[in-house]
Amino acid sequence: MTTGVLERGLYRLLRFNPCVAVHELRMRMRGGRAFVVFFVYTLMAIIPVLLTVAMTAWQGSMFGPGMGMSQTGLGRVAFIALAYAQLSLILFVLPAYAAGAITMEREKRTLEMLRATLLSPSDVVTGKLGVVVAFGAILLMTSLPVAAWCVLLGGVALGDLFYVYTYLFAVAVWVAALGLFLSTLVRRSIGAIVATYVILLIWCVALPILLSILVPMLGFYNWDPTQPIGYVGALSLITGFGLLYAWLLFLALRWLWRRLFKHAARWLETVVVVAVTLILTALFAIGLGSIIWHPLGQAVSWVALSFVHPYAGLSFILYAEAAEAAFAAAGTAATASMAGLQTYSWAIATGLFVLMGVALWARSVGLFRKRS
Amino acid sequence: MIEVRGLTKRFGTLTAVNDISFTVDRGDAFGFIGPNGAGKTTTIRMLATTLKPDSGTVTINGHDIAQDPAAVRACVGYMPDFFGVYDDMKVWEYLDFFGAAYRVPWQRRPGLIGDVLELTDLSDKRDEYVDALSRGMKQRLCLAKTLIHDPDVLLLDEPASGLDPRARIEIRQLLQQLCKMDKTVFISSHILRELADLCNKIGIIEQGRLVMAGSVEEISAQLAGGKTLIIRTTNRLQEACDFLAGRPEIGSAEIVEDAIEAIYQGEPDQQHRVLSALVEAGFQVESFAEQETSLETLYMQLTKGAVS
């Protein structure tokens, strides 16, 4: 008997056993620990906002009224500070929760009992991922009052609030899935947590630094100035080709690695292959950007790249509106092609992080099944 | 019931379980005995579907472990040799979680949790934290967890290991109760006394091979060498010993402490002739008894202790 993919998916969905999620929530939310985390998180998110407001007030008192930032500017700057602070906090807090999820069961010797039950691999992995994602969502929500304050200060549209918070949630899904994936891949908790942080460090810090050194050295510059095809067109092209290229490159590099280093640790393989794939994809996108679209080619390719870089993605969502406004004021030829840039970049960046999260979730379920 | 045919598992070059076959009928209590590292845990893990065999088939209650693992899991309660408990979790929550994991409907869970807690004598610990329980209590809790979905077959891997004598006895009483509940029980242990009173069948495994399997009586009968007779006389013990050694139905006879141990190899119902002969020869026989072959003796005879 053959059933369709859809039917099977629906059947699985209906058979989903939420007890792992319930059990995880019971353990994680018990006692004061979770609330201490929420409290510290909110505090850490507020500090940059307060600093921004204090700085502006100080500037105002030093140089007289009107010399510091305007009142509308203040709300916006405070909101931007809040957004970056939250992104850093999410990237810092969630791996610790996610990367121990499966390895802890192994270390506490409860995994064997869990495997003997009627729970399917996806029940276990999805339940655990769901709770870490929910935890991230609660963290984000605790900062909503601070964001509301920024809105009151002016300069922040409700649309901005929506874009930024959904984007941060997508990043939370991705980080949680990455941590959980490494938790199924690596045998011990400490290894899984270290591997997650190392990958995030390479992804968020080492990669941009490396690229900012490499790109000017290699010098992909304008040799064929063609007609502008618009930001949106160029972005789609570069992102599409970039993703395809990245995927093929990843498979090829992994194949090569497994032949060269047969007995190397799995986490090392993951770290090296992912890092090399990212660097080469970045160079590819920049090259492509320089070739297909001359005047702003490099800028566009940086933007395309930024969709898989948490900080760059956030910057783009936060500043796209300003860029649109600036272009409109200057009245350049590109003005028309800038329309809807914020929505478009939000959709791509958010979509990509959710997609990466889902892919990692699917791999985790597969790995968990294979190991049982 | 459990039916195992040609079960084999290799880890690299090591063959942990080598072509073993046995059958455990419904209501049997099967003792799976062997020294540490003999392959007991590997076998149980394969029966519990948490480890895939390299070859061979296992059916439990008619379900094949490879074809329909979910059906097997539904009717099997498995207690691993090393099991963990979660921090920050109460006793009833622990049981509730496993109940849900076995898809016991939520309406039935509170009642079942009460039942298994009563059976394992943990009723007053219902709201305590799991990690605050003593080792013996944790072991009983794990047994309670194993019973939560009312399985027909219980797979217990060293259920009393690492316990003090009192907790050990408590676990044994609990297991005896379970055996009476018409469940098929499969218990592994490297300690014979644990299983001696519990099991009606035993299997002895050494270096991955099943040395022998069957009921305790069957195994005793299969053992060559016959029965051991313990004979005491009030006079001329050495002479009696020599007299016995000279008889055809006696394999050998020697004095151990103040009694003669003679191996009887004749017809099973002709033992009385030895006694008559002794009395006729003028020996004052004080006692004449057949030594019961204990599991321990069997075990020592069957295994060479190559692994431990």
Side-chain angles (χ1 to χ4, degrees):
Chain A
M1 193 181 72
T2 52
T3 43
V5 175
L6 203 69
E7 264 175 82
R8 240 179 350 211
L10 193 68
Y11 176 74
R12 274 203 196 146
L13 201 68
L14 289 173
R15 288 285 291 173
F16 177 69
N17 191 338
C19 73
V20 174
V22 173
H23 159 83
E24 285 275 312
L25 277 175
R26 264 186 192 143
M27 288 198 296
R28 289 197 195 270
M29 295 298 164
R30 176 153 278 152
R33 217 169 38 204
F35 294 95
V36 170
V37 175
F38 295 149
F39 177 74
V40 171
Y41 177 89
T42 319
L43 205 69
M44 300 288 280
I46 288 176
I47 288 172
V49 176
L50 288 179
L51 275 179
T52 317
V53 175
M55 281 277 282
T56 317
W58 174 76
Q59 277 179 326
S61 68
M62 286 294 283
F63 308 110
M67 288 303 288
M69 223 170 287
S70 70
Q71 282 296 303
T72 31
L74 180 63
R76 181 145 198 100
V77 173
F79 181 67
I80 289 171
L82 176 69
Y84 282 115
Q86 286 209 76
L87 180 61
S88 310
L89 285 169
I90 288 285
L91 291 175
F92 185 72
V93 174
L94 284 193
Y97 276 82
I102 306 283
T103 44
M104 279 298 204
E105 298 267 355
R106 191 175 289 129
E107 276 157 20
K108 283 184 183 293
R109 304 218 181 235
T110 45
L111 195 61
E112 177 78 3
M113 293 199 297
L114 218 55
R115 285 209 163 121
T117 65
L118 290 174
L119 291 169
S120 70
S122 89
D123 284 336
V124 177
V125 172
T126 314
K128 286 188 180 283
L129 180 66
V131 169
V132 179
V133 169
F135 194 79
I138 298 173
L139 286 179
L140 287 173
M141 274 189 258
T142 56
S143 73
L144 272 176
V146 189
W149 187 43
C150 296
V151 174
L152 285 180
L153 282 174
V156 183
L158 283 176
D160 291 329
L161 214 64
F162 172 78
Y163 286 147
V164 167
Y165 272 88
T166 44
Y167 173 74
L168 288 177
F169 179 72
V171 174
V173 169
W174 168 68
V175 177
L178 180 71
L180 202 80
F181 170 70
L182 286 161
S183 194
T184 45
L185 185 73
V186 181
R187 296 228 149 250
R188 292 171 49 86
S189 285
I190 190 78
I193 291 172
V194 168
T196 313
Y197 280 116
V198 166
I199 286 180
L200 284 177
L201 263 177
I202 291 175
W203 201 309
C204 298
V205 182
L207 199 64
I209 292 176
L210 201 69
L211 282 176
S212 62
I213 298 167
L214 275 179
V215 171
M217 275 168 57
L218 292 172
F220 294 107
Y221 282 117
N222 39 9
W223 52 270
D224 182 20
T226 50
Q227 271 307 105
I229 54 169
Y231 269 100
V232 170
L235 281 179
S236 313
L237 216 62
I238 293 166
T239 316
F241 275 115
L243 283 177
L244 188 70
Y245 172 83
W247 178 241
L248 293 175
L249 194 66
F250 173 76
L251 291 179
L253 284 172
R254 199 178 59 177
W255 180 85
L256 197 69
W257 172 276
R258 290 201 175 157
R259 258 139 209 84
L260 287 177
F261 309 101
K262 270 188 183 145
H263 303 294
R266 284 302 283 277
W267 72 269
L268 192 70
E269 174 194 310
T270 310
V271 168
V272 172
V273 171
V274 167
V276 175
T277 306
L278 282 174
I279 293 169
L280 292 180
T281 309
L283 291 173
F284 169 79
I286 289 162
L288 193 66
S290 318
I291 293 161
I292 61 165
W293 199 56
H294 151 250
L296 288 163
Q298 248 187 315
V300 170
S301 47
W302 276 109
V303 170
L305 280 179
S306 70
F307 290 133
V308 289
H309 190 275
Y311 284 92
L314 182 63
S315 310
F316 211 62
I317 293 172
L318 285 170
Y319 292 108
E321 214 175 25
E324 275 180 67
F327 270 86
T332 58
T335 309
S337 67
M338 292 290 290
L341 196 62
Q342 190 183 31
T343 313
Y344 185 78
S345 40
W346 165 80
I348 289 194
T350 309
L352 280 181
F353 277 108
V354 170
L355 216 72
M356 287 195 282
V358 170
L360 285 168
W361 163 79
R363 282 300 296 147
S364 311
V365 173
L367 255 179
F368 192 88
R369 178 171 290 128
K370 215 164 86 183
R371 295 252 168 115
S372 63
Chain B
M1 70 174 270
I2 307 168
E3 212 175 328
V4 177
R5 290 282 159 269
L7 193 66
T8 303
K9 180 73 193 177
R10 287 180 208 92
F11 296 109
T13 52
L14 176 85
T15 307
V17 173
N18 194 353
D19 190 27
I20 68 173
S21 305
F22 58 86
T23 308
V24 184
D25 294 318
R26 191 181 171 79
D28 271 350
F30 188 89
F32 199 46
I33 308 159
N36 294 329
K40 301 188 297 289
T41 298
T42 310
T43 308
I44 290 202
R45 288 187 64 201
M46 286 190 281
L47 298 189
T49 74
T50 60
L51 192 70
K52 285 197 180 81
D54 287 327
S55 63
T57 56
V58 178
T59 50
I60 295 180
N61 275 8
H63 307 291
D64 190 293
I65 56 158
Q67 308 293 326
D68 197 358
V72 171
R73 287 170 190 195
C75 65
V76 162
Y78 167 48
M79 179 174 172
D81 56 344
F82 289 104
F83 61 92
V85 292
Y86 298 96
D87 306 331
D88 278 338
M89 178 151 251
K90 290 177 179 176
V91 166
W92 76 267
E93 289 171 341
Y94 183 80
L95 294 172
D96 187 70
F97 168 61
F98 279 102
Y102 279 107
R103 293 193 180 275
V104 177
W106 62 270
Q107 306 93 321
R108 285 186 55 215
R109 272 181 245 151
L112 278 170
I113 290 171
D115 291 348
V116 294
L117 284 178
E118 204 183 313
L119 184 70
T120 51
D121 198 19
L122 287 169
S123 296
D124 53 330
K125 301 287 177 193
R126 197 173 185 280
D127 288 309
E128 300 248 332
Y129 282 99
V130 166
D131 47 345
L133 297 180
S134 70
R135 207 192 143 92
M137 285 182 193
K138 279 183 190 165
Q139 216 109 351
R140 278 180 359 234
L141 177 65
C142 190
L143 244 173
K145 173 239 109 185
T146 309
L147 296 167
I148 192 78
H149 59 298
D150 195 21
D152 291 334
V153 178
L154 295 177
L155 303 175
L156 312 172
D157 197 358
E158 308 254 357
S161 66
L163 293 181
D164 61 51
R166 185 179 178 79
R168 199 174 270 278
I169 290 165
E170 281 168 357
I171 284 272
R172 196 165 65 200
Q173 287 169 344
L174 195 56
L175 292 176
Q176 271 165 343
Q177 233 171 315
L178 290 176
C179 291
K180 283 181 199 144
M181 288 161 74
D182 199 32
K183 293 196 184 294
T184 308
V185 187
F186 185 97
I187 312 173
S188 86
S189 181
H190 64 282
I191 302 164
L192 276 147
R193 262 164 293 139
E194 247 173 48
L195 302 178
D197 320 336
L198 275 175
C199 303
N200 59 344
K201 278 191 177 180
I202 54 169
I204 295 173
I205 184 170
E206 196 182 42
Q207 287 179 301
R209 285 190 168 280
L210 200 65
V211 182
M212 201 160 268
S215 67
V216 178
E217 299 85 52
E218 267 171 38
I219 289 184
S220 319
Q222 276 180 42
L223 275 174
K227 297 167 185 167
T228 307
L229 299 177
I230 306 287
I231 300 152
R232 284 193 180 82
T233 57
T234 47
N235 62 343
R236 301 184 290 156
L237 195 64
Q238 187 59 53
E239 271 179 61
C241 186
D242 296 339
F243 174 77
L244 283 171
R247 289 186 67 85
E249 69 267 44
I250 299 294
S252 68
E254 55 177 347
I255 297 176
V256 178
E257 288 172 21
D258 60 341
I260 304 165
E261 278 191 21
I263 308 292
Y264 178 76
Q265 289 171 331
E267 296 293 311
D269 52 352
Q270 300 297 311
Q271 256 178 70
H272 62 90
R273 284 170 188 257
V274 180
L275 179 59
S276 323
L278 276 172
V279 176
E280 275 164 25
F283 295 107
Q284 295 164 9
V285 179
E286 190 190 8
S287 72
F288 184 92
E290 183 187 321
Q291 191 183 46
E292 262 184 71
T293 319
S294 68
L295 274 176
E296 200 119 9
T297 328
L298 282 183
Y299 180 64
M300 292 309 283
Q301 280 174 299
L302 286 170
T303 64
K304 292 124 206 150
V307 189
S308 58

